[in-house]
Amino acid sequence: MKELRIIFRTIEKYRMVEEGDVIYVAVSGGKDSAVALFGLCEYVKRSKINARIKAFHIDLSGGKAENVLKVVKKQAEICSAELRVFDVRKELGEDFVKKIRNSRRGVCSVCGVIKRYFMNRIPREEGAKKLATGHCANDFILFFMKNLVGKKFDWIAKFKPFLEGEHTKLLAKIRPLFFTTEIETEKICKEHGIPFVKAEKCSLLEELKCEHGKTTLLLKNCIKEIDVKNREFLRSLVSGIEKLVNEIKQSQKESEFRECRICGEPTSSETCALCKIFKGEKQPNFL
Ligand code: AMP
Ligand code: ZN
């Protein structure tokens, strides 16, 4: 299958999997991360490399998103991978929805902070050195355009298939679907009987409204249309982004990381984004 071969080639070319590796794959229940998990597990089986691939799901719903949990379980089962479900509410306390609502950041932004924080901290504490995500070519092209408009070149510099940990406490990030498009992940799911939930659904569910901005939706749909009509163009575009990132890397100032004064996790300021939102007057119960 051509689509799976592209993923294997990406894993191989960027040496994403090596002997003795423990890799956590962040699975949301959506098709892309399911395929990242499937691709990595298949690669390990076929290449007979001694590496452990584990599925990792962050549950923001407090167990209420039963359908998502069921799907994630099934995805891990199909790959014969162990599944670790992490309950955010147990860590941050039941009033975390209230704190998100009171935060000056938008819901999607807070959701991103929570996921990035625990996707790094929990797998690292459990012995992983690498974290795989389901970000695909469509995502990188969208992020590239948005960050170009926002002139956030330091973020663009992170758009590569293999991102080394920039701090001892930051896991290396691997993106096996860097050159794979959304239509292809859907095709792989259908062909291998992998169930998935629609990515549009927010895991915070009805409690908070979470919507993409109009421009983001417009760009997303444009990229989707190119995916249907000229997929190889998307592949060339993402390959161009990768080359550009390698060019600008040298001139990029190494971002300075320090450890959060509250929780000790890596951050670029004194207090990490998660503690800024959730510390309140009362210390969060994960400390
Ligand atoms: P998103 O930002 O929702 O497009 O997700 C990007 C990537 O983050 C996905 O491909 C997954 O690898 C990971 N991810 C998103 N949501 C979760 C979640 N609830 N639990 C674990 N990983 C997630
Ligand atoms: Zn912190």
Side-chain angles (χ1 to χ4, degrees):
M1 188 186 186
K2 181 190 162 223
E3 291 78 16
L4 215 46
R5 269 206 312 275
I6 293 174
I7 300 175
F8 292 160
R9 232 183 291 140
T10 307
I11 297 174
E12 193 130 326
K13 183 172 173 197
Y14 297 91
R15 296 168 191 257
M16 292 184 180
V17 183
E18 286 169 316
E19 278 294 313
D21 267 350
V22 177
I23 302 174
Y24 273 46
V25 187
V27 288
S28 61
K31 58 183 178 352
D32 299 343
S33 49
V35 168
L37 176 68
F38 183 74
L40 281 163
C41 288
E42 280 297 304
Y43 178 81
V44 165
K45 265 182 235 157
R46 293 180 195 197
S47 60
K48 299 192 170 62
I49 293 179
N50 174 31
R52 253 181 70 211
I53 310 289
K54 197 161 165 172
F56 178 62
H57 178 68
I58 299 173
D59 177 24
L60 292 130
S61 75
K64 279 179 257 168
E66 280 172 24
N67 180 43
V68 178
L69 291 169
K70 226 163 85 186
V71 165
V72 163
K73 266 185 206 147
K74 187 80 194 152
Q75 289 173 345
E77 202 182 293
I78 288 171
C79 300
S80 311
E82 221 182 299
L83 169 68
R84 161 81 156 102
V85 177
F86 177 75
D87 187 340
V88 166
R89 295 187 193 209
K90 274 196 190 139
E91 283 287 318
L92 296 178
E94 277 302 321
D95 63 342
F96 103 123
V97 170
K98 206 171 90 198
K99 286 190 174 152
I100 295 174
R101 213 176 269 135
N102 293 341
S103 161
R104 271 177 291 137
R105 281 177 179 251
V107 176
C108 288
S109 162
V110 177
C111 187
V113 167
I114 298 173
K115 284 180 192 166
R116 274 196 300 277
Y117 183 93
F118 290 111
M119 259 190 233
N120 183 68
R121 197 184 109 184
I122 306 301
R124 188 195 73 230
E125 286 177 350
E126 295 181 4
K129 294 278 183 287
K130 293 171 183 166
L131 176 84
T133 58
H135 291 110
C136 67
N138 302 50
D139 298 323
F140 287 106
I141 291 166
L142 174 70
F143 298 160
F144 180 75
M145 292 198 275
K146 287 179 75 174
N147 284 295
L148 200 56
V149 171
K151 321 276 186 298
K152 291 185 181 149
F153 305 125
D154 50 339
W155 279 97
I156 290 176
K158 294 175 200 281
F159 299 167
K160 12 179 176 176
F162 191 128
L163 181 70
E164 298 279 354
E166 298 152 297
H167 180 277
T168 45
K169 284 186 170 178
L170 280 176
L171 295 178
K173 312 280 187 316
I174 56 173
R175 288 97 180 224
L177 309 184
F178 195 88
F179 299 102
T180 299
T181 75
E182 269 185 25
I183 289 185
E184 291 175 321
T185 60
E186 192 160 348
K187 191 167 170 219
I188 294 172
C189 280
K190 289 201 173 129
E191 217 147 298
H192 294 272
I194 304 168
F196 61 87
V197 288
K198 288 263 176 268
E200 271 60 54
K201 265 216 145 168
C202 173
S203 35
L204 287 168
L205 295 169
E206 291 91 27
E207 291 167 276
L208 294 162
K209 268 265 169 289
C210 166
E211 279 165 358
H212 284 304
K214 278 198 186 119
T215 313
T216 301
L217 272 181
L218 177 69
L219 290 173
K220 247 176 116 79
N221 288 332
C222 284
I223 298 166
K224 214 176 202 168
E225 207 168 318
I226 304 172
D227 196 355
V228 175
K229 293 185 179 150
N230 191 351
R231 187 154 320 135
E232 290 316 311
F233 177 77
L234 281 195
R235 203 127 37 221
S236 302
L237 194 53
V238 86
S239 160
I241 292 172
E242 194 229 340
K243 299 276 178 302
L244 179 71
V245 164
N246 283 336
E247 291 292 321
I248 62 170
K249 199 180 64 196
Q250 265 71 33
S251 62
Q252 187 63 46
K253 195 171 74 109
E254 277 285 315
S255 39
E256 283 159 28
F257 279 98
R258 40 184 155 163
E259 296 187 3
C260 169
R261 69 184 170 91
I262 299 175
C263 71
E265 287 300 296
T267 170
S268 53
S269 51
E270 202 178 301
T271 312
C272 80
L274 191 100
C275 287
K276 272 184 197 150
I277 301 165
F278 293 101
K279 72 175 181 183
E281 291 96 343
K282 216 173 94 212
Q283 293 281 296
N285 61 4
F286 66 90
L287 295 174

